[in-house]
Amino acid sequence: MEVKLRLLRAEEIECRIGIINEKGVSLLLFKDARVDQKILDEVFTPFGWKRSHQVLDGNLYCTVEIWDGEKQQWVAKQDVGTMSYSEKEKGQASDSFKRACFNWGIGRELYTAPFIWIPAELAKLKRKGEKLYSEERFHVREISCNQERAICLLTIVNEAGQVVYQWNRRERAAEEAGKSGRLPKGRADASCLSGLNGGQLSALEQELQRTGVSLDCVLGRYGISAVEQMTEAIYADAMKGLRKSKSRGIA
């Protein structure tokens, strides 16, 4: 069975704030479970796929099965969901379904997203006590992918339609190539910064939520002040430490 699932459209992608500090906010790109259902219906028809959930070792798994007409059998792909602190069961059910659909290839291009940082003045940050927050809503206006289905062009706007983030893979690559070897010794090359992609940033955010460890604590350990300064090596070491930490609320 050879099936090519289409890429997500701009209006099908959600922008959510991942990390927030006085310098601005990072954005993560998500797809909604209803988008997965729509694409499955489009490609396989409502009768050509099915889903089921199982609890294994206390974790909720989702299995998405597609009917293979040539082999006359169901083909399954499965993944586990992560806990939602607001609606535990509903959150895990939805998350496991979306992850299983990622395994089928729906929205997998989101894992190739660049690090998305919106400066404080464009994020319209507000403060309530010691807590920073933003009521601004962001939307993907334009997105394109290359032949490898990796994001190569991305434009994000705010509610007023103002462009707050624009990224072009080719232009960025040419810019970094032009900077190569020109920076003074001891200064970090710009290409070493903002090294995290959307998938890495999402994983970091999930571990911070799970453990209750603050971002400032992680950054302080490595002597940096913002997540965009994280290199691949720092990210790998930080994730290794977080994964060894107990979940929040567990003694």
Short mmCIF file of all heavy atoms in Angstrom, two decimals, residues 18 32 34 40 43 67 91 97 111 117 121-122 133 148 169 190 196 202 218 220 223-224 226 251:
data_model
loop_
_atom_site.label_atom_id
_atom_site.label_comp_id
_atom_site.label_asym_id
_atom_site.label_seq_id
_atom_site.Cartn_x
_atom_site.Cartn_y
_atom_site.Cartn_z
N GLY A 18 5.49 28.45 24.12
CA GLY A 18 6.21 27.40 24.82
C GLY A 18 6.93 27.94 26.04
O GLY A 18 6.69 27.51 27.17
N ASP A 32 -4.14 19.91 15.50
CA ASP A 32 -5.28 19.49 16.31
C ASP A 32 -5.72 18.09 15.90
O ASP A 32 -5.57 17.71 14.74
CB ASP A 32 -6.43 20.49 16.12
CG ASP A 32 -7.56 20.23 17.09
OD1 ASP A 32 -8.44 19.42 16.76
OD2 ASP A 32 -7.57 20.85 18.17
N ARG A 34 -8.57 17.04 15.35
CA ARG A 34 -9.61 17.11 14.31
C ARG A 34 -8.98 17.23 12.91
O ARG A 34 -9.57 16.77 11.93
CB ARG A 34 -10.53 18.31 14.58
CG ARG A 34 -11.48 18.08 15.73
CD ARG A 34 -12.19 19.34 16.15
NE ARG A 34 -11.27 20.30 16.75
CZ ARG A 34 -11.66 21.40 17.38
NH1 ARG A 34 -12.93 21.70 17.48
NH2 ARG A 34 -10.76 22.23 17.90
N LEU A 40 -7.32 11.82 7.55
CA LEU A 40 -7.57 10.37 7.45
C LEU A 40 -8.83 10.10 6.64
O LEU A 40 -8.87 9.18 5.81
CB LEU A 40 -7.69 9.75 8.85
CG LEU A 40 -6.37 9.64 9.64
CD1 LEU A 40 -6.68 9.24 11.08
CD2 LEU A 40 -5.43 8.65 9.00
N VAL A 43 -8.11 10.84 2.82
CA VAL A 43 -7.24 9.89 2.13
C VAL A 43 -7.81 8.48 2.12
O VAL A 43 -7.79 7.79 1.10
CB VAL A 43 -5.83 9.89 2.77
CG1 VAL A 43 -4.92 8.87 2.08
CG2 VAL A 43 -5.22 11.28 2.70
N TRP A 67 -6.84 0.39 6.54
CA TRP A 67 -7.17 -0.81 5.77
C TRP A 67 -6.35 -0.87 4.49
O TRP A 67 -6.35 0.05 3.69
CB TRP A 67 -8.66 -0.85 5.43
CG TRP A 67 -9.04 -2.04 4.59
CD1 TRP A 67 -9.39 -2.06 3.27
CD2 TRP A 67 -9.10 -3.40 5.04
NE1 TRP A 67 -9.65 -3.34 2.87
CE2 TRP A 67 -9.48 -4.19 3.93
CE3 TRP A 67 -8.85 -4.04 6.26
CZ2 TRP A 67 -9.64 -5.57 4.00
CZ3 TRP A 67 -9.02 -5.42 6.34
CH2 TRP A 67 -9.40 -6.16 5.22
N GLY A 91 -6.79 14.52 27.80
CA GLY A 91 -5.51 15.00 27.25
C GLY A 91 -4.66 13.87 26.74
O GLY A 91 -4.09 13.95 25.65
N PHE A 97 -3.50 9.89 20.23
CA PHE A 97 -4.03 9.81 18.87
C PHE A 97 -3.20 10.65 17.91
O PHE A 97 -2.81 10.20 16.82
CB PHE A 97 -5.48 10.27 18.85
CG PHE A 97 -6.09 10.38 17.47
CD1 PHE A 97 -6.20 9.27 16.65
CD2 PHE A 97 -6.53 11.60 16.99
CE1 PHE A 97 -6.74 9.37 15.37
CE2 PHE A 97 -7.08 11.72 15.72
CZ PHE A 97 -7.19 10.60 14.92
N TYR A 111 8.06 18.75 12.97
CA TYR A 111 9.29 18.45 13.69
C TYR A 111 10.50 19.14 13.07
O TYR A 111 11.57 19.20 13.68
CB TYR A 111 9.54 16.94 13.74
CG TYR A 111 8.64 16.20 14.70
CD1 TYR A 111 7.84 15.15 14.26
CD2 TYR A 111 8.60 16.55 16.05
CE1 TYR A 111 7.01 14.46 15.14
CE2 TYR A 111 7.78 15.87 16.93
CZ TYR A 111 6.99 14.83 16.48
OH TYR A 111 6.18 14.15 17.36
N TRP A 117 11.14 32.56 17.85
CA TRP A 117 11.24 33.49 18.98
C TRP A 117 10.59 34.81 18.61
O TRP A 117 10.91 35.41 17.59
CB TRP A 117 12.69 33.71 19.37
CG TRP A 117 12.84 34.56 20.59
CD1 TRP A 117 13.20 35.87 20.64
CD2 TRP A 117 12.61 34.16 21.94
NE1 TRP A 117 13.22 36.31 21.94
CE2 TRP A 117 12.87 35.29 22.77
CE3 TRP A 117 12.23 32.95 22.54
CZ2 TRP A 117 12.73 35.24 24.15
CZ3 TRP A 117 12.10 32.90 23.93
CH2 TRP A 117 12.35 34.03 24.72
N GLU A 121 8.38 43.05 22.69
CA GLU A 121 7.52 44.14 22.20
C GLU A 121 6.46 43.66 21.22
O GLU A 121 5.36 44.23 21.14
CB GLU A 121 8.36 45.25 21.56
CG GLU A 121 9.19 44.83 20.35
CD GLU A 121 10.55 44.29 20.71
OE1 GLU A 121 10.76 43.94 21.90
OE2 GLU A 121 11.40 44.21 19.81
N LEU A 122 6.76 42.60 20.48
CA LEU A 122 5.78 42.05 19.54
C LEU A 122 4.84 41.05 20.22
O LEU A 122 3.72 40.83 19.77
CB LEU A 122 6.49 41.36 18.38
CG LEU A 122 7.31 42.28 17.45
CD1 LEU A 122 7.99 41.46 16.36
CD2 LEU A 122 6.41 43.35 16.84
N TYR A 133 2.79 36.99 31.13
CA TYR A 133 1.87 36.32 30.23
C TYR A 133 1.62 37.20 29.01
O TYR A 133 1.97 38.38 28.97
CB TYR A 133 0.56 35.98 30.92
CG TYR A 133 -0.31 37.18 31.26
CD1 TYR A 133 -1.37 37.57 30.44
CD2 TYR A 133 -0.06 37.93 32.41
CE1 TYR A 133 -2.16 38.66 30.76
CE2 TYR A 133 -0.84 39.02 32.73
CZ TYR A 133 -1.89 39.39 31.91
OH TYR A 133 -2.67 40.48 32.21
N GLU A 148 11.96 17.06 0.66
CA GLU A 148 12.13 16.13 1.78
C GLU A 148 11.06 16.35 2.85
O GLU A 148 11.13 15.80 3.94
CB GLU A 148 13.51 16.31 2.41
CG GLU A 148 14.67 15.76 1.58
CD GLU A 148 14.96 16.63 0.37
OE1 GLU A 148 14.87 17.87 0.50
OE2 GLU A 148 15.25 16.07 -0.70
N ARG A 169 14.64 29.07 4.89
CA ARG A 169 15.78 28.18 5.11
C ARG A 169 16.96 28.54 4.20
O ARG A 169 18.11 28.55 4.63
CB ARG A 169 15.36 26.73 4.87
CG ARG A 169 16.46 25.71 5.17
CD ARG A 169 15.98 24.31 4.87
NE ARG A 169 14.91 23.91 5.76
CZ ARG A 169 15.10 23.35 6.96
NH1 ARG A 169 16.34 23.15 7.40
NH2 ARG A 169 14.08 23.00 7.72
N ALA A 190 26.70 32.79 15.32
CA ALA A 190 25.23 32.85 15.34
C ALA A 190 24.62 31.54 14.93
O ALA A 190 23.51 31.20 15.34
CB ALA A 190 24.75 33.98 14.43
N LEU A 196 17.77 24.81 18.49
CA LEU A 196 16.69 23.88 18.74
C LEU A 196 15.60 24.01 17.68
O LEU A 196 15.20 25.11 17.31
CB LEU A 196 16.07 24.14 20.12
CG LEU A 196 17.02 24.12 21.32
CD1 LEU A 196 16.23 24.14 22.60
CD2 LEU A 196 17.94 22.93 21.26
N SER A 202 9.62 21.38 21.97
CA SER A 202 8.43 20.75 22.52
C SER A 202 8.80 19.71 23.57
O SER A 202 8.19 19.63 24.64
CB SER A 202 7.61 20.10 21.40
OG SER A 202 6.47 19.45 21.93
N VAL A 218 17.43 25.66 34.62
CA VAL A 218 18.19 24.94 33.60
C VAL A 218 19.19 25.86 32.91
O VAL A 218 20.36 25.52 32.74
CB VAL A 218 17.23 24.33 32.55
CG1 VAL A 218 18.01 23.71 31.39
CG2 VAL A 218 16.34 23.27 33.19
N GLY A 220 20.48 28.66 34.05
CA GLY A 220 21.51 29.07 34.98
C GLY A 220 22.60 28.04 35.15
O GLY A 220 23.77 28.39 35.36
N GLY A 223 25.05 28.68 32.47
CA GLY A 223 25.56 30.04 32.34
C GLY A 223 25.03 30.80 31.15
O GLY A 223 25.71 31.67 30.61
N ILE A 224 23.79 30.50 30.74
CA ILE A 224 23.16 31.23 29.64
C ILE A 224 21.88 31.87 30.16
O ILE A 224 21.35 31.47 31.20
CB ILE A 224 22.86 30.33 28.43
CG1 ILE A 224 21.99 29.14 28.84
CG2 ILE A 224 24.16 29.84 27.80
CD1 ILE A 224 21.63 28.22 27.70
N ALA A 226 19.05 32.74 27.98
CA ALA A 226 17.86 32.55 27.14
C ALA A 226 17.96 31.21 26.42
O ALA A 226 19.05 30.73 26.13
CB ALA A 226 17.74 33.69 26.13
N ALA A 251 6.83 11.79 45.34
CA ALA A 251 7.80 11.91 46.42
C ALA A 251 9.03 11.07 46.14
O ALA A 251 8.96 10.07 45.47
CB ALA A 251 7.15 11.48 47.73
#
